[in-house]
Amino acid sequence: MRVLLVEDEPAAAQMLAKGLREHAYAVDVAIDGDDASFRLATTDYDAVILDVMLPRKDGLSVAREARGAGSAVPILMLTARDAVLARIAGLDSGADDYLTKPFDFDELLARLRALIRRGIRAPLPERLVVGSLDMDTRSRQVSKHGRVIPLTTREYALLEFLARRTGQVVGRAEIAEHVWDQSYDPLSNVIDVYVQRLRRKIDDARGDSLIRTRRGEGYTLATTAA
């Protein structure tokens, strides 16, 4: 899942981005309203965490512009103000949910998961089963035939992205857009490297693979090995 975090305080942005990445989110950070609007117009995000008080353009304007352009990306708005009118203004501007600072990080994660589940994309259940793979999307634990498979956060994010599209061919550009952030180098082979790592961890000893390559198109996750 790729998230846009819009926060102008460097320390807060760094802390939130670090925490989100540790929970398998790819995170882009915008530090002002103009930057946020540009990123929303040019990148397909799974969710936005948007502070209200921003330089150049406030979060309410960013949300209104995104909705006016037809974007249905889930927006979680953050504010230090606790007034009812401020919350109403945020929701009326196009935000889907509202969180008042200071907040508990676990609550932010829960609200983010709920927004993505309710979003326009395919609902994300708390448990995904693909053939012999069993994935708990809350704990990010993957098991096969009852055996837990240890994965890094990026390996898990890639596997979950493929699992949500089981049977579909997913291109490298789509994977890069939702599993990696702006640091991704399109000339690198990092996606292929991570696919090979996943295969070593989730495939059977006899070499049959659940992740299949469609030459020139991308990858697909199948329910049975071949």
Side-chain angles (χ1 to χ4, degrees):
M1 297 291 180
R2 188 169 180 179
V3 173
L4 176 62
L5 171 63
V6 190
E7 169 60 69
D8 66 312
E9 296 182 13
Q14 182 178 10
M15 179 187 67
L16 287 173
K18 180 176 183 294
L20 289 166
R21 288 171 181 141
E22 288 173 351
H23 284 79
Y25 291 99
V27 183
D28 293 348
V29 178
I31 59 173
D32 61 56
D34 286 346
D35 189 16
S37 291
F38 174 77
R39 290 176 184 271
L40 283 170
T42 56
T43 305
D44 183 20
Y45 289 102
D46 295 287
V48 180
I49 301 173
L50 177 62
D51 194 9
V52 170
M53 302 301 293
L54 296 169
R56 298 187 179 180
K57 183 191 302 177
D58 63 30
L60 301 178
S61 299
V62 172
R64 279 194 295 267
E65 287 183 10
R67 297 304 187 225
S71 173
V73 63
I75 297 176
L76 174 60
M77 191 163 279
L78 307 178
T79 182
R81 294 174 296 183
D82 197 22
V84 172
L85 290 179
R87 294 198 296 273
I88 293 172
L91 295 171
D92 283 346
S93 70
D96 298 281
D97 198 2
Y98 209 96
L99 195 56
T100 302
K101 297 179 180 180
F103 52 82
D104 183 88
F105 185 68
D106 286 337
E107 182 181 0
L108 181 143
L109 289 174
R111 288 176 180 267
L112 190 58
R113 287 194 300 267
L115 284 181
I116 294 173
R117 282 199 302 270
R118 299 197 302 263
I120 60 173
R121 296 174 176 85
L124 177 60
E126 292 187 359
R127 183 169 174 252
L128 289 169
V129 178
V130 181
S132 55
L133 289 177
D134 193 329
M135 304 176 62
D136 186 325
T137 62
R138 294 193 65 181
S139 65
R140 305 185 311 284
Q141 180 174 286
V142 178
S143 59
K144 185 175 183 180
H145 301 307
R147 177 181 64 86
V148 174
I149 301 173
L151 299 177
T152 66
T153 54
R154 186 58 57 83
E155 289 168 349
Y156 172 83
L158 175 56
L159 182 59
E160 182 189 289
F161 188 74
L162 293 174
R164 292 187 66 206
R165 294 155 178 79
T166 299
Q168 301 177 28
V169 178
V170 184
R172 289 174 177 81
E174 188 177 359
I175 292 172
E177 187 153 14
H178 291 276
V179 180
W180 269 261
D181 54 27
Q182 71 261 38
S183 63
Y184 173 75
D185 179 0
L187 299 180
S188 75
N189 68 337
V190 65
I191 292 176
D192 306 292
V193 169
Y194 272 87
V195 167
Q196 291 304 317
R197 288 183 184 178
L198 275 179
R199 282 174 171 155
R200 286 196 293 268
K201 291 186 177 185
I202 70 174
D203 289 342
D204 295 326
R206 63 177 181 268
D208 295 338
S209 183
L210 290 171
I211 303 177
R212 302 174 187 175
T213 302
R214 293 284 293 270
R215 191 171 298 278
E217 296 182 62
Y219 299 99
T220 183
L221 183 66
T223 57
T224 56

